[in-house]
């Protein structure tokens, strides 16, 4: 009887040992490691499979570029126009690998910002003589013709700072100025077809400018509020002029801007200061619009420059 029990126990031990060895073999095959199984903890597995993108999110500014293209102050491909990079080149940190873009748009990991650098390099867009390293909203990525009306509205929010800017030796200012945000007008494709316009150019509805450390808003308004019909599409200063509002001094510190555009009204918040533009001119604004953000230097002096840092940027409709 004792012998039978002893044999049974030996058989059981062999079965247990075989199962354990088999389990260990399967474990090693799945994990492709010679480490003892007990050293592989759930936390360690999570760390090992973490993506490069999640690591970058803790090091770099987390800005969604899926609806932004960027225009540079250079023409390196010699096509007679400022170089541009479409959203497909910017998303998923793609801007970090574009050789011609890197000098003008790059990360500063010391404060998780993206730096936009510009200077007069000889390439400017139509209807302007100033250089820019500036983002342009595209509601449909890669398409400049799908834009929004004030009826549809939009919100642009950003946190940024002027990191460095050149002195202005050609005027009474100490520093050059730079435009950091815009709502730019554009004639819709429907109106182009309806009225036979040869160009879709329209003026900027709103410009947010850093000027001697002050943030100022310049908003287009009609010279004559009785203007109507096709005359509203004239983009000259004889039809549309600027009115402004000073939001106060920010210097070289970071600040936040929130722009809310709706029919007949612009609400602008800079830090804790809020101002409303609400008038007949906004009610009559005949153009579609798109947001812009970045560094649009108001200077043609070849020695001028500006570095603008963005920490956050968000657009919604």
């Amino acid at each position: 009887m004792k012998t039978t029990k002893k044999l049974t126990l030996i058989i059981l031990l062999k079965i247990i040992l075989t199962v354990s060895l088999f389990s260990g073999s399967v474990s090693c095959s799945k994990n492709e490691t010679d480490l003892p199984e007990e050293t592989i903890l759930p936390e360690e597995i999570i760390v090992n499979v973490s993506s490069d993108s999640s690591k970058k999110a803790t090091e770099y500014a987390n800005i969604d570029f899926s609806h932004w293209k960027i225009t540079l102050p250079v023409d390196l491909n010699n096509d007679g126009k400022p170089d541009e990079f479409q959203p497909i080149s910017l998303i998923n940190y793609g801007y970090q690998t574009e050789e011609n873009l890197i000098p003008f748009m790059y990360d500063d990991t010391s404060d998780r910002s993206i730096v936009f650098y510009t200077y007069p390099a000889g390439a400017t867009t139509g209807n302007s003589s100033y250089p820019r390293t500036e983002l342009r909203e595209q509601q449909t990525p890669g398409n400049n013709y799908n834009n929004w009306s004030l009826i549809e509205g939009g919100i642009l929010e950003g946190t940024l700072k002027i990191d460095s800017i050149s002195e202005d030796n050609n005027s009474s200012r100490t520093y050059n100025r730079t435009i950091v945000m815009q709502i730019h007008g554009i004639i819709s494709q429907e109106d182009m077809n309806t009225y036979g316009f040869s160009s879709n150019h329209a003026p900027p509805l709103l410009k947010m400018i850093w000027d001697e450390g002050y943030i100022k808003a310049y908003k287009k308004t009609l010279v004559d509020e009785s203007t109507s019909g096709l005359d509203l599409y004239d983009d000259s200063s004889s039809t549309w002029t600027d009115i402004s509002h000073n939001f106060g001094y920010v210097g070289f510190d970071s600040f936040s801007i929130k722009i809310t555009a709706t029919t007949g009204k612009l609400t602008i918040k800079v830090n804790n200061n809020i101002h409303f533009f609400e008038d007949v001119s906004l009610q009559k604004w005949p153009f579609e619009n798109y947001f812009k953000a970045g560094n649009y230097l108001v200077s043609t002096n070849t020695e001028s420059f500006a570095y603008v840092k963005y920490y956050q940027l968000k657009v919604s409709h």
Side-chain angles (χ1 to χ4, degrees), residues 181-208:
M181 287 186 184
Q182 295 188 69
I183 299 177
H184 209 291
I186 185 170
I187 298 176
S188 70
Q189 287 300 291
E190 181 180 355
D191 285 348
M192 289 282 292
N193 295 331
T194 299
Y195 302 116
F197 295 126
S198 59
S199 169
N200 63 4
H201 180 263
L205 174 60
L206 177 71
K207 294 179 291 187
M208 300 298 297

Side-chain angles (χ1 to χ4, degrees), residues 33-235:
T33 177
D34 293 330
L35 292 174
E37 188 174 339
E38 61 269 21
T39 64
I40 303 175
L41 302 176
E43 291 79 8
E44 293 174 316
I45 293 172
I46 291 171
V47 170
N48 289 337
V49 300
S50 63
S51 67
D52 186 53
S53 294
S54 64
K55 290 180 182 178
K56 286 185 174 183
T58 65
E59 299 175 9
Y60 308 121
N62 187 18
I63 296 176
D64 180 5
F65 291 110
S66 58
H67 292 279
W68 296 100
K69 75 171 183 178
I70 191 164
T71 303
L72 304 183
V74 292
D75 178 18
L76 299 179
N77 61 5
N78 298 312
D79 66 352
K81 299 179 293 184
D83 292 341
E84 293 186 338
F85 288 86
Q86 299 297 324
I88 190 65
S89 298
L90 306 182
I91 60 173
N92 299 322
Y93 303 97
Y95 63 88
Q96 297 175 343
T97 61
E98 293 287 352
E99 182 179 354
N100 292 336
L101 176 57
I102 289 172
F104 301 98
M105 176 183 173
Y106 57 89
D107 299 293
D108 185 343
T109 56
S110 68
D111 58 1
R112 289 188 64 191
S113 65
I114 292 182
V115 181
F116 295 91
Y117 164 60
T118 201
Y119 70 101
T124 60
T125 58
N127 303 292
S128 174
S129 58
Y130 300 131
R132 69 184 76 201
T133 301
E134 188 179 38
L135 297 165
R136 193 269 201 210
E137 179 192 13
Q138 293 181 324
Q139 288 195 296
T140 301
N143 183 348
N144 287 340
Y145 301 106
N146 181 16
N147 301 290
W148 50 273
S149 66
L150 289 181
I151 294 174
E152 296 166 308
I155 300 173
L156 179 64
E157 302 175 76
T159 301
L160 61 150
K161 68 179 288 188
I162 306 302
D163 192 55
S164 179
I165 194 166
S166 53
E167 295 183 0
D168 188 346
N169 299 318
N170 298 324
S171 72
S172 59
R173 291 187 176 87
T174 303
Y175 298 103
N176 290 118
R177 296 173 295 163
T178 189
I179 301 170
V180 295
M181 287 186 184
Q182 295 188 69
I183 299 177
H184 209 291
I186 185 170
I187 298 176
S188 70
Q189 287 300 291
E190 181 180 355
D191 285 348
M192 289 282 292
N193 295 331
T194 299
Y195 302 116
F197 295 126
S198 59
S199 169
N200 63 4
H201 180 263
L205 174 60
L206 177 71
K207 294 179 291 187
M208 300 298 297
I209 301 180
W210 186 94
D211 183 355
E212 296 285 67
Y214 293 87
I215 301 300
K216 299 178 180 179
Y218 289 83
K219 196 273 297 182
K220 280 290 182 285
T221 191
L222 287 166
V223 174
D224 180 358
E225 290 187 347
S226 67
T227 303
S228 61
L230 287 178
D231 291 336
L232 292 169
Y233 291 87
D234 174 32
D235 62 1

